[in-house]
Amino acid sequence: MTAADDQTDNYLYVSWGGSGRTSCLRQAIERAEANDASLRYLAILDDATFSGIDASLRAVVADELTWLLETQIDLARRQTGIDRRVRLQVESGEVGSVSAAVAKATDATLILVGAPVPVSHSQTVVELMAALAATTGSVVELIEP
């Protein structure tokens, strides 16, 4: 059994294409702490932004993004004074399907979408959030800076 199995709630914080400011991540950390929930930060190299990049370069981008987001997590934890573990996961693909797959795999009870949300996608944020809620059965909320 893992530590996440001991928790009653698993929160998923989703960011892609420049969404998810540090202030939004701080709010996600504070929510997880207040509710004793696990927190996973899902960063998506979305198809709308990264489809033209070949696989080897995408791997380099993913490595750099991982380093940057680990730094962002450390900064947000220090700013909040909360030492809650945040699991970072970087994936590639279509935002809705990747988010839904990770939410299901982690039994996420709450999906937090970091704002501002890019407008270059086929779905509006409202449509995306509704689709995620319907597909996963999770509560989906937008966190704004």
Side-chain angles (χ1 to χ4, degrees), residues 14-113:
V14 181
S15 169
W16 73 95
S19 69
R21 302 274 193 263
T22 302
S23 61
C24 295
L25 178 58
R26 284 194 307 264
Q27 290 178 60
I29 291 170
E30 290 167 345
R31 293 272 301 271
E33 179 72 11
N35 296 297
D36 196 26
S38 67
L39 181 60
R40 178 177 305 266
Y41 185 154
L42 173 62
I44 304 171
L45 295 170
D46 60 293
D47 288 343
T49 305
F50 295 96
S51 63
I53 297 176
D54 68 38
S56 61
L57 185 53
R58 194 179 280 216
V60 171
V61 171
D63 287 344
E64 290 296 315
L65 181 61
T66 298
W67 182 85
L68 287 168
L69 295 180
E70 285 173 350
T71 302
Q72 182 188 34
I73 290 167
D74 183 57
L75 175 64
R77 288 173 56 204
R78 283 190 279 130
Q79 289 173 337
T80 61
I82 297 171
D83 192 29
R84 177 153 297 273
R85 179 175 183 213
V86 178
R87 292 175 178 90
L88 176 61
Q89 184 171 345
V90 177
E91 298 289 340
S92 295
E94 192 276 320
V95 172
S97 60
V98 171
S99 299
V102 172
K104 287 179 183 179
T106 60
D107 295 322
T109 55
L110 176 64
I111 301 171
L112 300 166
V113 177

